[in-house]
Amino acid sequence: RRGAETWRHVKGARGGTIDIYQSARWKRLQARVLREANYLCECDECKRRPVGEPANTVDHIIAVRDAPSLAFERSNLRAMSQSHHSRRTIGDVVHRPR
């Protein structure tokens, strides 16, 4: 399945392509986003609570497949809990036009 997901790949340091989520650049940016959010979920649901859930993943507000140029753009990223990210990702897949 992932072999067909070309939107997930970026040019690697040695000229080949690598999965965005395995790149050193993504891992550094992910750590920065989580640190800046104090490891708290930034989803709309958690923002309405006095204390949100712990965040352990980073979400692309606009999906990479829809806007590859925003893959590493800090303004397009937010910290999220795994459960909220999974719910959002499943919702995106279900509601995506074919």
Side-chain angles (χ1 to χ4, degrees):
R1 178 178 156 230
R2 285 195 175 169
E5 294 178 348
T6 57
W7 57 266
R8 287 178 65 118
H9 293 85
V10 294
K11 191 170 196 105
R14 297 190 176 130
T17 60
I18 58 172
D19 187 311
I20 288 171
Y21 303 109
Q22 299 305 314
S23 71
R25 183 178 179 190
W26 172 255
K27 290 176 182 182
R28 283 190 309 271
L29 184 56
Q30 181 181 38
R32 177 181 156 203
V33 170
L34 290 169
R35 203 173 38 252
E36 288 174 358
N38 293 317
Y39 297 89
L40 292 173
C41 186
E42 298 178 311
C43 76
D44 295 335
E45 183 180 329
C46 284
K47 283 182 180 178
R48 290 190 296 266
R49 297 181 185 167
V51 177
E53 289 187 23
N56 56 0
T57 193
V58 174
D59 175 56
H60 285 93
I61 298 165
I62 300 172
V64 175
R65 80 170 57 82
D66 296 334
S69 64
L70 299 177
F72 298 105
E73 189 66 40
R74 174 61 184 98
S75 62
N76 188 45
L77 302 172
R78 63 183 170 181
M80 288 187 90
S81 68
Q82 185 63 52
S83 63
H84 289 163
H85 185 263
S86 294
R87 232 182 313 165
R88 175 173 154 45
T89 302
I90 290 168
D92 283 353
V93 171
V94 170
H95 295 106
R96 180 170 302 284
R98 295 185 188 259

